[in-house]
Amino acid sequence: MPGGWAYCTRPMDYLSRIADAELAELLGATGATLVEGPKASGKTATAMQTARSAVMLDVDDNALRLIGADPEALLIGDTPRLIDEWQLEPAIWNYVRRAVDRRAAPGQFILTGSAVPADEITRHTGAGRFARLRMRPMSLFETGHSTGEISLNRLLDGCEQRAERSDLPILSVAELVCAGGWPANIGKALPQTLRANRAYLDEIRRTDVSTVSGGTRDPVKVGRLLRSLARNIATPVSMSKLTAEAGDHSVTLKADTVAGYLDALDRLMVVENQPAWSPHLRSRTTLREAPVRHFVDPSLAVAALRATPERLTADLEYLGLLFESMVVRDLRVYAQAADAQVFHYREKEGLEVDAVVEAADGRWAAFEIKLGERWVDDGARNLRRLARRMEHSDHERPSVLAVIVPSGYGTSGGDVGMIPVGALGP
């Protein structure tokens, strides 16, 4: 066999991921697991901790040629067998599916992909054979910037928890936001990281959007849309506003053009909207259903605007939105491990809550995200109002209400708790 197919070399400096346990659990339950996430989020490195053989479609030209001649030969190898960047040859999906049916055993294949192919390829044919695992950039707990003393999973269980005071100065918040959770950037100097993140986004703008769209896309227009998304991060910005900002004084973009760009960014998994929470209220309260827009990591918003920590600390309102987006990123990582999802709550009457985490069994917790202790009282008032709303809904009492901040003592339980982001974990 061509070199590299029979054995899977594991990175020596691998940092443990929360998804490690999730992947092991899924492999024990289904024949194949599809690990999806943006480029450079660590999918391959995570898969290689478990895989016993591998084929890398993005670098192995022989493998790509073999798909046209004998695709089933790619599936031969010790299991779990990793097929990296499978979306480059989507036809391999059906061969994996058939092999899973034939072998009738769990843990046969791991497929990784950094772009979502056409829905028709995978919409139904993987049912009962494939499990899906979403990977994102690393959380603060995974990068070592959080102790994890306060567990989201235990918060959902209603357990009272405490943590010693954690202090994260505003400049440090800005630096973490700028660096992001990209595994390859761990240990690099911040100026190198900023350049790497800008190069990452530039490649998306120039090449990747056109690749997943199946046609040429104007990189200048994509860049303007990325900057508009960056300026409006952590807000439910409308399509009409994005369309207006993505154009310029001489060119007016059509809404369907912008929608196509957004679809491509979604399929590349570099944006991830936060859906609205829609409990059934027995009142006349009208909920807003528009999603809150985020990049998969707030460092991409920083890269789009070519910002620096110093510039961000001069604009605390915008830094607060980036901090919110970073916390939502982490909550998503922790919530997924707890079989939960992260939503936002907004009423037309004005009440807004930054994050609602709801487990599959209906347990829920609500969080406000504030850049400093001085705004904790405002967040607490919103959370109390939400709890009163839910007394007239189909939901039970919340497991916890808490305000997430950069610095402070960690408390949960009772009325409204406070959680420093440096103590939050899975």
Side-chain angles (χ1 to χ4, degrees):
M1 284 188 175
W5 285 21
Y7 302 99
C8 190
T9 304
R10 292 168 173 79
M12 298 300 292
D13 56 351
Y14 179 75
L15 291 176
S16 297
R17 304 292 298 271
I18 294 169
D20 294 338
E22 296 177 74
L23 178 58
E25 182 179 352
L26 293 174
L27 285 170
T30 58
T33 298
L34 174 60
V35 182
E36 296 181 307
K39 290 193 304 185
S41 57
K43 302 179 301 299
T44 303
T46 292
M48 287 172 66
Q49 303 308 299
T50 302
R52 298 185 61 197
S53 66
V55 56
M56 310 296 184
L57 295 184
D58 59 335
V59 296
D60 195 330
D61 292 336
N62 288 335
L64 292 175
R65 284 191 288 269
L66 189 60
I67 287 176
D70 186 7
E72 293 195 358
L74 292 180
L75 310 185
I76 299 172
D78 292 342
T79 61
R81 182 159 177 77
L82 168 61
I83 302 175
D84 194 47
E85 298 296 347
W86 77 274
Q87 81 282 349
L88 296 176
E89 286 292 341
I92 200 70
W93 177 274
N94 282 330
Y95 290 97
V96 171
R97 175 177 59 86
R98 291 169 188 165
V100 167
D101 287 343
R102 262 194 326 270
R103 299 178 187 184
Q108 296 299 300
F109 299 98
I110 306 171
L111 277 63
T112 65
S114 54
V116 178
D119 284 348
E120 288 74 14
I121 297 170
T122 63
R123 181 176 290 146
H124 301 297
T125 56
R129 305 167 180 96
F130 286 81
R132 292 175 185 261
L133 173 62
R134 184 67 179 263
M135 283 197 69
R136 300 172 177 88
M138 300 175 80
S139 65
L140 295 183
F141 176 73
E142 291 169 303
T143 60
H145 293 96
S146 171
T147 64
E149 293 173 83
I150 296 182
S151 158
L152 178 63
N153 193 26
R154 296 190 67 213
L155 289 174
L156 287 169
D157 284 338
C159 298
E160 186 171 344
Q161 301 176 75
R162 284 182 168 79
E164 294 184 5
R165 183 175 178 88
S166 172
D167 287 302
L168 189 64
I170 291 299
L171 180 58
S172 296
V173 171
E175 290 173 345
L176 287 172
V177 163
C178 287
W182 306 101
N185 288 340
I186 301 298
K188 288 183 179 178
L190 188 58
Q192 290 177 293
T193 298
L194 292 176
R195 286 193 292 270
N197 292 345
R198 291 167 187 165
Y200 180 101
L201 203 62
D202 198 48
E203 184 66 16
I204 288 168
R205 176 179 69 88
R206 292 180 178 276
T207 305
D208 294 350
V209 167
S210 293
T211 299
V212 300
S213 298
T216 302
R217 302 294 183 182
D218 187 337
V220 174
K221 295 175 182 176
V222 175
R224 286 201 295 264
L225 175 59
L226 290 168
R227 288 191 292 276
S228 178
L229 287 168
R231 286 192 294 270
N232 294 285
I233 194 169
T235 72
V237 59
S238 67
M239 177 69 76
S240 59
K241 184 175 181 181
L242 290 175
T243 301
E245 291 187 358
D248 61 21
H249 65 280
S250 60
V251 178
T252 301
L253 289 182
K254 295 180 179 179
D256 58 354
T257 300
V258 173
Y261 292 166
L262 288 172
D263 178 68
L265 294 171
D266 184 61
R267 288 171 59 189
L268 289 166
M269 291 170 277
V270 295
V271 297
E272 187 173 9
N273 290 338
Q274 185 182 358
W277 195 45
S278 300
H280 180 71
L281 299 177
R282 292 188 293 271
S283 70
R284 300 193 180 193
T285 300
T286 303
L287 302 180
R288 295 185 182 274
E289 298 181 355
V292 169
R293 299 187 186 272
H294 295 273
F295 285 93
V296 72
D297 192 287
S299 63
L300 296 182
V302 175
L305 298 176
R306 300 185 66 82
T308 62
E310 292 73 22
R311 285 178 58 192
L312 295 180
T313 55
D315 186 349
L316 292 184
E317 182 177 359
Y318 183 59
L319 180 58
L321 294 172
L322 290 168
F323 176 67
E324 178 182 334
S325 191
M326 182 176 72
V327 172
V328 168
R329 177 202 67 193
D330 286 9
L331 286 173
R332 282 173 166 154
V333 174
Y334 308 150
Q336 181 174 289
D339 194 21
Q341 294 179 282
V342 180
F343 302 90
H344 73 86
Y345 182 90
R346 277 172 167 76
E347 298 176 1
K348 289 189 177 178
E349 291 79 7
L351 175 60
E352 298 182 2
V353 171
D354 296 325
V356 176
V357 178
E358 184 176 38
D361 60 9
R363 292 170 298 144
W364 65 280
F367 304 95
E368 279 278 81
I369 303 166
K370 301 297 181 183
L371 191 58
E373 293 178 74
R374 76 182 82 166
W375 296 290
V376 167
D377 288 345
D378 291 339
R381 278 193 291 271
N382 287 346
L383 292 167
R384 293 188 191 102
R385 288 177 63 194
L386 175 63
R388 288 195 294 271
R389 289 280 197 275
M390 292 305 108
E391 292 174 357
H392 306 287
S393 77
D394 58 344
H395 280 62
E396 298 181 358
R397 291 174 56 84
S399 298
V400 71
L401 304 172
V403 183
I404 301 175
V405 291
S407 301
Y409 290 97
T411 61
S412 70
D415 180 23
V416 177
M418 185 171 74
I419 302 173
V421 72
L424 184 63

